[in-house]
Every structure is written in C-alpha cells, then in structure tokens.
Amino acid sequence: MNHSSSSRISASGPAVLLDGVTKQFGAHIAVSNLVLDIPRGSIYGLLGPNGSGKTTTLRMIMGILRPDRGSVTLLGEDTNGTARQRVGYLPEERGVYKRMKVIEHLEFLGEIRGMTRAIARQRAMIWLERLGLPEWAAKKVEDLSKGMQQKVQFIGTVLHDPELLILDEPFSGLDPINQDVLEEIVRDFHKRGTTIVFSTHLMDQAERLCESVCLISRAEKVLDGNLLEIKRQERSGAVALDYDGDDGWLDASEVEAVERTDSGVRVRLRDGADAQILLQRAMSAGVEIRRFEIVEPTLHEVFVRHVGEAAAAEAGLPSGYQAMGGAV
Amino acid sequence: MRVVLAVIRREYLQRVRSKWFIFGTVAGPLFMIAIIAVPIVLGLRDDVEERGLLILDRTGILYERVASRLGGALVVERIEAGESAESTLEGRIQSGDISGLLVLDAGTLSAGRAVYRGLETPSAIRRILIQQAVVESALEVRLLDASDADGARALLDGGQVEYQSFLGENSDRDDPAAALATGFAGGFLLYMTLLIYGIQVMRAVLEEKTTRIVEIVISVVRPGQLMLGKILGVGAVGLTQLGIWALSVVLLLTFGLPYVVAARPELLGLEAAMEFVPRAAELALFLLFFVLGYFLYSSLYAAVAAMCSSDEEAQQTQMPVTILLVVPMMILMPIMENPDGPWGTWLSLVPFFSPVLMFPRYMAGAPLWQVGLSLVLMVVAIVVVAWVAGRIYRVGILMQGKRPTLPEIVRWVREA
C-alpha cells in the first residue's frame, strides 16, 4: 500500500511521544509521569518486570486507556484520530474470532483499519501464502492448530502495512518456529522503515533486537535511550582476557578482582583504571593473548544496577543472568 | 462509520449463517404451518372415512334443527323409533358401519339431556359440537314457543353488543376477544424475542471479551462504536427473523385460514378467523416496541457481559436484567383483567415493562396518549441506560478475573 510508505518517508517527528503520562487504577499507580520519545524507524524495547506498567503504557499509546494526566501523541496525532488505523497492534492476550473463517477474520481486521474488503482479502491471501497457510483460508479459525492461529494473528497485525508496530510481549507463548517467523517479520518491517515498539521482560531478547530501550520499574522510568550508548555509559570496568602464559602480570594496581573462567580470566578494574594499560602489561609479560574484550554490561546488569537486586528478583529474572556476579 | 458498518456486517453475517438461526427461523413458520395443517389433515382423514351419525328423535321436533347445526361437519341420518331393533343398531355400531346413535327425548327439550351411544367417545371438538347443537336446538324450540322467532335466533347467534367510546377507537377491530388474544400473543412474543436477542448480545460481547479479541478491535474502534455495532448487528438478525416470521404468519393466515375454515366450518367462521390477522398499524407498533425494548435490554445485557469473565458468571449476573423482563410477563394476565386500572396504567408506563405490558394494553384499547407516553419514556430510558452501560462496557471489557462489586461499578461509571 503506497500511501503509507510514502507518508512514512515524509513524516517527521517521533512515532510516539508520551509527555508526563500517569495512569492510576483505584489506589494502584500503574504508570507514573512517564516521558517517552520513540524515534521513527527504530526498534524500541519497553522493558521491565511483570506488572511494571508496560501493558498499561502500550494501551495508552493505542488510545485503549486514557491517561489520567499527560498527553499521548501517536504518529503526530492524538489517539482519537485515524492514526490508530496506521498502527499494527498485537496485545499480549492475542484473541481470534474462533468461529469465523480465516479469510473473513482477516478481512474484518483489515476493514476496521480502513481497508476495503477486496484489498484486505488480497493482502491476506498474500500473507497466508507467505506463512504457508493458503489452503486454510476458507477453514474456521478454531480448526487451526495453536501455532497456525498465532500466524493468523501476526497477519492480522501487519495486514494493513502499518507505519508502526506495537507488540506487547510478542514472543511469549510462541513455539520456536513462530518466534523465528515473528522475528523475521519484525526485521523485515524494520528494513522498510516501519517503527517497531515492543515490550518484554526478557532482557536477552531485547538486547538482540532493540536499537533503543526504555527500562521501567514500578510504574516509573528508570532509564531510556540508544542501547549501545546506554551500554557504553554503563560499562562497569570489566575486561575479559583469554590467554596462554603465566599470571604474574595480573598482580597490578589497576586490578581490583580476578575471576577465573573456562578459557581465561575476567578482570574487574579499579575506578578510573584504563583497560588499555592492562592490555599492555599482559603483552609485555609475554603471554599469548587470544581474546581481549572490554565487557559491556548486559541489559539485566544495567537494570539491576539501577533498580536494585530486590526489584530484579521481583522481575523473576533468573540469577544465572548475573554473569558479572558481585559487580554491584 | 465504515468501521461500525464492518462490525455490524460481521455480527450479522456470522449469526444469520449459523445453523441455529436457520433452524430457528425455519422451525417457527413450520410450527405455524403444523398448527394450521394438522387439523385440516385430521379433518380430511375423518371426511374420508366419515360414517353416519344416526339420530333417533323421540320428540319429533328437534331433528331438523339438530341436523342443520351438525350438517356441515357430520353426516347425519334420521331413524324412527322402532325402525330398527336396538340390537341391530348395536351390531352396526360394532361393525363400524355407523359412528354412533344420538337419542333425543323429552329430557332433551326440558333440560338439554341426551344420550350418545358409540364404539368410542367422540373427539372433544365433536362433543362440544354435538352438545352445542343439542342445547341450541332445544333452546330454540322453547323460545319459539314463547316469542318471536327472529329475536330468538339473533340471541342464539350470540347477540350484538356495540361499544361506543368517548375517547375514540384505537382499532378497527370488531371482536374484542380476538384483539385481546392478538395482544397476548404480541406481548409474549415481545418477551421472548427481547430475552432471546438480549442474551445474544450478552453472548456476543462475552465471546469477544473471553477470547480477548476485543483488545485488538478497540485499538481501532471506539468501545462505544463497537457496542453500538454489536447491538445493531444482533438487532438486525432479530428483525430479519421477526420479519420472516411475520411474513409467514400473514401469508399463512391470509391463504391458509380460508382452507382451514373451508375444511372445518364448525370450528370458526372465516370473518372471525380473519380477526386474528394483525393489522398493519399493530405490526408497526409491535416492531416499535421490539426495537425500543431491544435497545434498552441489549444495552443492559452488554453491560452485564462486560462485567463478567466467563459464561457461568454471566449466567448469574444476568438474573436481575432477566427478572426485569419476566416480571411484566408474570403480571400480564392479572393486569389484562383490568387493563386500564391504576396498576395496569402505571406499570405499563415503566420503560422496562412497557413492551410486554403496553402492547397488549393497546390491543385492548388503551388510550393512545398512554401508548405514546410509554414510547417517549422508553426513548429517555434508552439514552440514560445506554450512557451508563456504555461506560461499564468501556471499562469492563478489558477487565479479567474477579467480577466487580457494586461500588466498583459505580466508580467505573464515574471515571470512564
């Protein structure tokens, strides 16, 4: 659909802008004074433990919930306009009309996004072919396996070639094949300039996919920005070295702690120490260096550093993620 | 608007194409046909093997009168006293040659007593018919003895009471009994259809909520639009079904009734039968009550569904709403004994009761201003109820888990 791709190129300003958004349910504050600026064309991760306010935030972006305070701008408009039709939204709880035929189900989802039925049907067939379900078009949705229903849900989300994809915990509950299918769809849309926002509590997934992230915990933003920059800023002064030779050089003033790994060591440097000097020491000590890496923290480590171990535990993250044990 | 149309279309087609709709819609008229056709078939079968009824008239003056009254329905044959020995007659009855013997004597003239002897007791309709013929004939003889023959016949034909009303007539019906019966049938049909389609709306909303598809839909469609679309979609299904039924009834009565009347003249005169065919104005008012009642109740049922997360929960929660529909149905009978009394007047003006109570009252001749007032009050009630229900719906469709308490619902309505 050309109209959306052309507007995608010409459009400026952020895809989503949240300004001081607050949402309360009774006495429970779900989102507190949240400011978000999601650049167009990015893959943006909304990260945080369960119950931290991710879903509420996404629902407010989609105009499903109204913020108590603050404003939401979606593709340059408020959420009452037609901007919502240019978004592909996949909620965490993904539903289908079980008793409808697959093709009619998709036609309906296209129609409510402003497509004509004929075009919706045409595009649905293309997508069904692409995902290997063309012969299921005339079957009822309830006759499909769960995995096939998930594919139908993906198609329903992207059928209208949205400018913005908003996916709430998109990978949860998917089998590995569909995880790959969805990831491919996401990367494909990203290549064509579509903005992608997704929430997850799985930090490694976010690390793999996202360009920018926002970490939230207990309704509040912890930090946000470009993922690489965040990591650079959050470097903890750790170096990984794999080498053959003797260990005497490790007894240096820069070194605070040494941890043996299978292939070498992990060295934690003192504050302000330069990793390059340690590298020089190693070389001058005559050891054969196989690997030298300034270790960047994982997202989980960044998260733990900012919200504390308690909140991380609350997030239900396995402690195995804490590769830099004791770094905090 | 296009979005609402898409919602209506989906809701409508999905239902109209379902096996239940087709079954229900076709079964209704078939049932009607059966009601009309079965007596015809039975009547025809009887006609084929019609055996004569022998009448032994010991009074000497009753036979002609009884025979003319029975003649349309039964083959009668006169026998004279002593013409045939009782034993021979019994033999003819036993062999199935004749259906029975009716003996009229002095007791018939004085007190309407008569004896029927046959292999088996005649059908209920025949018994009524024979009894009526015997009693009317005896009355006629005795009245003719006393006074003028024409007057006596007019009396025996049921007389004629003319009703003149200062407030004016609201119907062109001659027969108040037929109007009353049509009113009852209409009230009952309104109760049934409002209940059926109200529950359908509840199911539709609940289905979207429990399958969670609703979140995708309201990410584009406003909740108010979605609720409206669902109500209109299901309502269109209801109108389709009612339309098919109404058309079948009118066609059946118009073309079928003359058949029945011709086949069984003893049951009903054609003119009297046509009194049961609803008039255009009555149909229009019926539809108006259905549409308004449907908006009122479907909004309530939609709100009920939005509060619940499972079928079982909804079954319990819908009780108060359903009771609102059942109450007028239960008080319809007592109220129709005195339709324009204070109870009838005030209760039929309560918007939730109006469809079931006011339509039968209209048929019974209620003042038109009351009918009009009830319609206006219903419209007002719809606006209020839809507003409240819309707010409950908006919040409720995203809530999963525990059913909200009353204070929580009040908060939804205030804050939505």
Side-chain angles (χ1 to χ4, degrees):
Chain A
M1 303 255 287
N2 290 325
H3 68 271
S4 54
S5 23
S6 59
S7 67
R8 200 174 297 169
I9 294 161
S10 63
S12 59
V16 177
L17 192 63
L18 263 62
D19 192 6
V21 164
T22 298
K23 182 74 190 177
Q24 211 169 332
F25 298 110
H28 171 69
I29 298 172
V31 175
S32 173
N33 198 26
L34 183 62
V35 176
L36 273 190
D37 183 338
I38 300 179
R40 291 212 190 220
S42 63
I43 302 188
Y44 195 96
L46 194 58
L47 315 179
N50 292 325
S52 56
K54 300 188 298 289
T55 295
T56 304
T57 302
L58 294 183
R59 282 177 172 178
M60 285 192 287
I61 292 174
M62 284 313 294
I64 293 170
L65 295 175
R66 281 191 224 142
D68 299 331
R69 278 195 301 283
S71 69
V72 178
T73 310
L74 178 65
L75 298 171
E77 297 175 23
D78 67 22
T79 53
N80 293 323
T82 54
R84 301 199 296 170
Q85 293 189 327
R86 292 181 278 141
V87 182
Y89 175 56
L90 188 65
E92 183 175 8
E93 301 279 3
R94 300 173 287 258
V96 281
Y97 286 112
K98 288 202 172 73
R99 281 192 282 271
M100 280 182 102
K101 286 180 183 163
V102 171
I103 191 74
E104 287 173 352
H105 178 71
L106 293 172
E107 275 172 29
F108 174 70
L109 291 178
E111 260 189 296
I112 59 174
R113 269 73 166 256
M115 300 171 87
T116 67
R117 211 174 311 135
I119 290 176
R121 184 183 197 88
Q122 211 179 333
R123 294 198 49 92
M125 280 314 296
I126 294 172
W127 271 104
L128 286 170
E129 303 255 356
R130 179 173 160 185
L131 298 191
L133 299 172
E135 70 273 25
W136 294 88
K139 294 277 194 326
K140 283 193 178 172
V141 175
E142 63 189 351
D143 295 334
L144 271 61
S145 72
K146 200 173 172 210
M148 289 192 282
Q149 287 186 16
Q150 287 169 346
K151 285 181 177 167
V152 172
Q153 287 157 348
F154 302 159
I155 297 175
T157 311
V158 300
L159 185 67
H160 54 303
D161 201 11
E163 285 171 54
L164 168 64
L165 278 176
I166 294 187
L167 316 170
D168 193 359
E169 297 279 358
F171 298 99
S172 72
L174 298 188
D175 58 45
I177 294 168
N178 274 344
Q179 288 195 11
D180 289 348
V181 169
L182 184 60
E183 200 168 317
E184 198 196 311
I185 292 174
V186 166
R187 288 190 191 281
D188 190 43
F189 269 87
H190 174 60
K191 257 182 240 155
R192 290 155 55 195
T194 307
T195 313
I196 291 141
V197 179
F198 73 91
S199 75
T200 183
H201 64 277
L202 302 176
M203 299 290 168
D204 60 332
Q205 198 151 47
E207 256 182 302
R208 206 149 41 86
L209 277 170
C210 294
E211 292 169 349
S212 302
V213 296
C214 171
L215 289 179
I216 55 176
S217 167
R218 293 179 180 168
E220 309 233 13
K221 178 160 83 179
V222 177
L223 81 165
D224 66 346
N226 180 281
L227 185 60
L228 295 178
E229 260 162 45
I230 288 176
K231 286 193 162 189
R232 201 164 298 139
Q233 283 165 11
E234 299 284 332
R235 270 179 197 166
S236 56
V239 174
L241 267 159
D242 295 355
Y243 62 93
D244 297 321
D246 107 290
D247 299 340
W249 58 276
L250 281 168
D251 189 17
S253 59
E254 290 84 11
V255 176
E256 186 174 303
V258 176
E259 184 190 339
R260 297 272 161 200
T261 63
D262 290 345
S263 52
V265 290
R266 278 194 168 200
V267 177
R268 184 141 47 87
L269 302 176
R270 283 185 204 288
D271 282 350
D274 189 345
Q276 302 303 325
I277 294 184
L278 187 71
L279 177 61
Q280 279 170 17
R281 280 190 200 283
M283 290 170 75
S284 48
V287 299
E288 189 188 332
I289 296 167
R290 280 179 277 113
R291 183 168 82 104
F292 172 81
E293 187 188 349
I294 298 173
V295 177
E296 290 188 334
T298 63
L299 259 179
H300 176 262
E301 284 158 350
V302 172
F303 187 68
V304 166
R305 191 173 302 155
H306 281 266
V307 302
E309 197 67 56
E314 204 176 285
L317 299 177
S319 55
Y321 274 86
Q322 299 169 34
M324 291 288 288
V328 181
Chain B
M1 197 55 224
R2 184 149 150 209
V3 167
V4 180
L5 281 179
V7 174
I8 294 173
R9 182 177 177 277
R10 196 200 76 80
E11 202 66 49
Y12 181 80
L13 286 183
Q14 208 196 342
R15 273 157 212 288
V16 167
R17 285 187 198 151
S18 80
K19 291 184 190 79
W20 275 110
F21 177 83
I22 295 169
F23 174 77
T25 309
V26 173
L30 280 184
F31 183 65
M32 288 291 302
I33 291 174
I35 285 179
I36 292 184
V38 166
I40 299 180
V41 172
L42 291 181
L44 289 180
R45 203 200 60 200
D46 266 17
D47 284 347
V48 170
E49 51 166 11
E50 187 60 81
R51 293 158 296 167
L53 172 66
L54 297 185
I55 297 180
L56 172 59
D57 180 13
R58 295 207 166 103
T59 65
I61 48 174
L62 278 174
Y63 176 77
E64 297 298 334
R65 301 177 202 282
V66 172
S68 73
R69 285 188 166 86
L70 288 177
L74 303 172
V75 177
V76 291
E77 189 185 321
R78 180 174 201 165
I79 58 164
E80 300 301 335
E83 183 186 299
S84 187
E86 297 241 333
S87 56
T88 327
L89 282 177
E90 232 156 74
R92 285 180 70 191
I93 292 170
Q94 291 282 3
S95 69
D97 183 22
I98 54 170
S99 64
L101 170 70
L102 181 65
V103 181
L104 309 171
D105 55 20
T108 313
L109 264 182
S110 64
R113 284 197 299 263
V115 176
Y116 175 98
R117 266 191 276 161
L119 198 59
E120 55 196 6
T121 313
S123 70
I125 289 174
R126 294 244 157 124
R127 292 209 304 269
I128 292 169
L129 190 65
I130 291 169
Q131 186 175 345
Q132 222 170 5
V134 168
V135 171
E136 279 182 9
S137 303
L139 275 173
E140 195 177 38
V141 171
R142 293 181 62 176
L143 283 169
L144 288 179
D145 282 349
S147 57
D148 72 305
D150 286 350
R153 283 211 182 84
L155 275 173
L156 287 169
D157 283 346
Q160 192 179 10
V161 180
E162 194 185 330
Y163 300 92
Q164 291 183 341
S165 149
F166 292 113
L167 291 169
E169 294 291 319
N170 70 17
S171 92
D172 55 355
R173 288 179 174 280
D174 303 323
D175 181 358
L180 206 62
T182 310
F184 267 119
F188 183 70
L189 199 60
L190 280 167
Y191 159 76
M192 289 279 294
T193 44
L194 289 180
L195 189 63
I196 289 171
Y197 285 100
I199 297 273
Q200 291 253 24
V201 168
M202 184 180 87
R203 292 252 160 80
V205 171
L206 199 63
E207 184 202 358
E208 281 186 349
K209 182 174 170 176
T210 52
T211 62
R212 320 287 174 107
I213 183 76
V214 70
E215 189 170 351
I216 293 175
V217 179
I218 60 166
S219 77
V220 193
V221 185
R222 274 184 222 113
Q225 289 181 320
L226 178 60
M227 187 173 135
L228 179 70
K230 298 197 84 66
I231 287 176
L232 290 179
V234 174
V237 178
L239 284 179
T240 305
Q241 192 160 51
L242 278 178
I244 293 173
W245 285 349
L247 199 67
S248 317
V249 169
V250 170
L251 286 180
L252 277 172
L253 290 182
T254 311
F255 297 107
L257 255 189
Y259 257 110
V260 184
V261 173
R264 308 296 299 272
E266 75 274 18
L267 294 182
L268 208 55
L270 182 59
E271 244 172 72
M274 293 314 270
E275 278 289 316
F276 289 96
V277 183
R279 311 284 194 267
E282 293 161 5
L283 277 179
L285 191 70
F286 176 88
L287 281 184
L288 201 54
F289 272 118
F290 171 74
V291 169
L292 293 181
Y294 171 74
F295 275 120
L296 197 56
Y297 276 100
S298 59
S299 306
L300 287 178
Y301 279 112
V304 164
M307 292 176 209
C308 301
S309 306
S310 69
D311 282 335
E312 295 76 24
E313 230 175 73
Q315 283 307 323
Q316 293 167 15
T317 315
Q318 50 102 19
M319 276 311 289
V321 179
T322 303
I323 283 173
L324 277 181
L325 257 179
V326 173
V327 164
M329 197 59 227
M330 282 170 55
I331 59 177
L332 178 58
M333 276 292 187
I335 277 191
M336 290 314 285
E337 281 169 21
N338 182 14
D340 291 342
W343 283 103
T345 305
W346 288 109
L347 287 175
S348 63
L349 285 174
V350 176
F352 293 104
F353 299 167
S354 288
V356 177
L357 292 183
M358 192 54 98
F359 182 74
R361 280 196 63 215
Y362 165 80
M363 294 301 296
L368 283 179
W369 69 265
Q370 288 186 10
V371 179
L373 180 61
S374 77
L375 293 173
V376 171
L377 288 177
M378 283 180 78
V379 171
V380 173
I382 287 167
V383 172
V384 175
V385 167
W387 186 81
V388 173
R391 288 176 158 239
I392 293 175
Y393 178 82
R394 181 192 184 88
V395 180
I397 41 173
L398 288 175
M399 297 281 173
Q400 300 287 349
K402 198 176 78 66
R403 192 170 48 175
T405 59
L406 205 57
E408 277 172 323
I409 292 170
V410 171
R411 191 165 57 79
W412 289 6
V413 174
R414 274 215 317 267
E415 292 178 7

